[in-house]
Amino acid sequence: RPPSPPYPPTPQLTFDLDEVTLADLQAGFASGRWTSAQVTQLYLDRIAAMDRQGPALRSLLDINPDAAADAAARDAERRAAGRALGPLHGVPVIVKDNCDTHDKMTTTAGSLALAGSVAPRDSTVVARLRAAGAIILGKANLSEWANFRGDHSTSGWSSRGGAVKNPYVLDRNPCGSSSGTGAAISANFAAVGIGTETDGSIVCPSNNCGLVGVKPTIGMVSRAGIIPISASQDTAGPMTRTVTDAALLLAAIQGADPRDPSTPVARGAALLDTAAYLRPDTLRGGRVGVVRKSLTGYDAKTDAVFEAALEVLKGLGAVVIDPADIPHIDDYGRDESTVLHYEFKAGINAYLASLGPSAPMKTLEDLIRFNEAHKDTVLKWFGQEDFLKAQACGPLTDKKYLDARARCVRLSRKEGFDKVVAQHRLDVLVAPTGGPAWTTDLVNGDHFGGSSSSPCAVAGYPHVTVPMGYVSGLPVGLSFMGLPFTETRLLGYAFAYEQATKHRRAPGFLPTIGDDA
């Protein structure tokens, strides 16, 4: 049985790989300090000690039984080459459990309905990680069906894995749906991780768990082999402890893919040359617009941290335009919901069909029936209203869908984000990513304090969050948002801010926040 709090300081608070970066690992491999096999075992031991006992984060659903063998193979490759073979070579990575892996692990989106499902091939993201020499260490728990199942859901809860805990304060929520990736990478269970986002599911857990998160431009990273919600808004992206690691991870997974027609010509060359854009002086002369309407004012303490961040940006030479509010920021929520329900039905039916004729779940209707048949387990905390609304939708040729999607595009892009950028000749927009983590409440569900995710999510534009500071010991993030395919600029700005502030600190696994917090 897990020990009762307070937890002993070992291994939670003392760990040989605590806060190591990709560069640290590669230097350690080169010097002989570590092998990939040793690093992999250290992470596996930490997971064994902390994910189902000790603080019991419940951040992972599957551990790769071939991880040790894969690590040994990477060591052999490095010895044969006599040199490093890339920033991710031999590095353990955690991926979210809606990304297909064709191996001894399953891909289930956290749902018991897909328990035992083994994908017929790797997702493109996972294939690119393997090609870069990364070791897929395990599959992360998540909000079931990426938080698109029913009303009053609790972020981080799945019927397969239970509720993920926030490693800073264990009774607080890690946010979803990439909650498991966020908790695991923040807790140093692996070097870097992959999350996915439709609206907030990379940047919110990064905010709550003190991480750098990158929600790329739609079309930069292939969605092939990722259990879908929305063809318009879904993407995978990095969740890391540093901006440099996020840039290197994004460079490895991005690029054109015939399996995903949204992906353009590969843009990896610019991303790979990190020295060209990850510089401490990148903010000098940059025109930074401050979004206040709807993205501030929900929490006075978060606002105070944000005001301090703006002073740092000014001190780094940024030209700050304040305010630079996004027109129509509150006008497309209903249309977004319509788009997601229509696209989910089409996407999930296509995904289930890709699993082959022997897969027990073949349609969304099958999933609905399964959930109802197992409601005491699957639906015990919240329902499946989103599934039912999606099932009631017609085809993607319906006028209702086409009109809603057109309004989303027009209001979020041309008459929204694009308009304010052009009006003020901006390079980037900034806002708080969200408020501090709330107390997890399985009965009543989430109670978000605020979020900046929707403008970039609906528009399909890039969004980078970086640790901004702390509210009562809980991390909050600073968002950098830009026009399509400006990832290098956003990462450069985030890097300059990160290096000037160095807010990221490892979590303490506190049971709760005391009166003296």
Side-chain angles (χ1 to χ4, degrees):
R1 297 176 59 182
S4 299
Y7 301 116
T10 303
Q12 293 96 296
L13 303 180
T14 57
F15 180 48
D16 289 346
L17 302 178
D18 196 40
E19 300 294 287
V20 297
T21 66
L22 294 177
D24 293 335
L25 289 173
Q26 294 303 333
F29 296 153
S31 69
R33 179 182 179 185
W34 298 307
T35 64
S36 294
Q38 290 169 335
V39 165
T40 298
Q41 192 58 54
L42 284 168
Y43 281 129
L44 290 172
D45 290 346
R46 184 168 173 85
I47 290 166
M50 298 178 67
D51 203 51
R52 285 296 186 270
Q53 56 183 340
L57 295 184
R58 307 190 74 87
S59 66
L60 300 176
L61 292 175
D62 281 321
I63 297 296
N64 184 2
D66 293 326
D70 291 345
R74 300 296 83 76
D75 286 329
E77 291 169 358
R78 192 182 304 108
R79 286 193 299 269
R83 58 182 176 82
L85 296 173
L88 287 173
H89 189 269
V91 172
V93 176
I94 286 170
V95 301
K96 188 175 177 180
D97 185 46
N98 58 352
C99 298
D100 283 351
T101 56
H102 181 61
D103 50 23
K104 295 174 184 174
M105 295 185 287
T106 59
T107 303
T108 68
S111 171
L112 287 174
L114 292 187
S117 178
V118 176
R121 62 187 294 190
D122 280 342
S123 60
T124 299
V125 164
V126 167
R128 286 180 171 159
L129 289 171
R130 294 195 205 273
I135 298 155
I136 309 301
L137 189 66
K139 306 288 286 290
N141 198 2
L142 68 159
S143 307
E144 184 164 318
W145 294 108
N147 221 2
F148 196 77
R149 196 196 76 191
D151 298 339
H152 308 295
S153 63
T154 296
S155 290
W157 182 87
S158 74
S159 56
R160 274 198 68 207
V164 182
K165 298 176 185 176
N166 188 310
Y168 284 89
V169 180
L170 299 175
D171 64 0
R172 297 277 161 164
N173 197 273
C175 196
S177 66
S178 304
S179 47
T181 306
I185 301 306
S186 187
N188 287 276
F189 285 1
V192 293
I194 297 292
T196 68
E197 174 161 332
T198 304
D199 189 338
S201 290
I202 288 174
V203 297
C204 184
S206 296
N207 175 83
N208 284 24
C209 296
L211 296 178
V212 176
V214 182
K215 197 287 288 186
T217 306
I218 298 301
M220 174 168 271
V221 175
S222 173
R223 292 84 57 85
I226 297 176
I227 297 176
I229 293 175
S230 164
S232 299
Q233 295 182 202
D234 289 350
T235 185
M239 297 175 69
T240 64
R241 295 183 292 271
T242 70
V243 174
T244 301
D245 284 359
L248 293 170
L249 185 54
L250 181 58
I253 63 174
Q254 65 83 52
D257 176 18
R259 296 177 63 195
D260 182 350
S262 78
T263 55
V265 175
R267 296 168 181 256
L271 282 166
L272 285 171
D273 186 13
T274 54
Y277 64 93
L278 297 185
R279 306 189 319 271
D281 64 347
T282 52
L283 273 161
R284 187 173 301 146
R287 294 182 63 81
V288 177
V290 180
V291 185
R292 292 195 178 274
K293 181 184 177 183
S294 300
L295 303 191
T296 63
Y298 50 81
D299 180 74
K301 292 180 180 179
T302 301
D303 285 348
V305 177
F306 181 53
E307 296 303 327
L310 294 178
E311 292 305 310
V312 172
L313 299 180
K314 293 174 186 176
L316 291 169
V319 179
V320 175
I321 294 87
D322 186 2
D325 292 328
I326 302 173
H328 299 294
I329 193 170
D330 297 319
D331 294 343
Y332 39 73
R334 183 175 298 177
D335 287 320
E336 180 190 14
S337 179
T338 297
V339 168
L340 298 189
H341 286 116
Y342 268 88
E343 292 186 349
F344 178 72
K345 181 180 182 180
I348 197 63
N349 283 340
Y351 176 82
L352 294 172
S354 77
L355 299 179
S358 62
M361 300 291 127
K362 295 178 172 58
T363 65
L364 174 57
E365 189 174 3
D366 291 339
L367 298 176
I368 291 169
R369 282 198 295 261
F370 177 93
N371 291 342
E372 185 60 33
H374 299 83
K375 60 184 178 182
D376 290 346
T377 302
V378 177
L379 303 180
K380 66 178 178 178
W381 298 119
F382 60 95
Q384 55 177 337
E385 291 87 354
D386 284 317
F387 274 21
L388 295 171
K389 290 175 185 176
Q391 180 61 21
C393 289
L396 298 182
T397 54
D398 275 5
K399 187 176 186 300
K400 181 179 179 181
Y401 164 74
L402 295 172
D403 288 349
R405 178 61 188 149
R407 283 191 295 269
C408 281
V409 170
R410 174 171 54 84
L411 295 176
S412 67
R413 296 181 188 174
K414 183 177 179 179
E415 297 179 16
F417 206 103
D418 300 5
K419 185 174 182 178
V420 69
V421 168
Q423 177 185 352
H424 297 291
R425 296 179 290 111
L426 299 175
D427 296 307
V428 67
L429 291 168
V430 297
T433 307
W438 57 93
T439 306
T440 295
D441 183 350
L442 289 168
V443 176
N444 298 303
D446 291 331
H447 41 98
F448 290 89
S451 170
S452 65
S453 65
S454 288
C456 288
V458 177
Y461 290 178
H463 184 167
V464 175
T465 181
V466 64
M468 180 173 72
Y470 298 83
V471 172
S472 301
L474 296 165
V476 289
L478 175 64
S479 286
F480 293 87
M481 302 172 282
L483 293 174
F485 299 105
T486 57
E487 277 80 356
T488 54
R489 176 182 294 165
L490 302 188
L491 287 163
Y493 288 175
F495 177 82
Y497 177 80
E498 172 195 59
Q499 295 304 299
T501 58
K502 297 189 181 296
H503 285 305
R504 162 71 192 180
R505 64 173 182 254
F509 308 96
L510 300 178
T512 191
I513 291 179
D515 293 337
D516 58 343

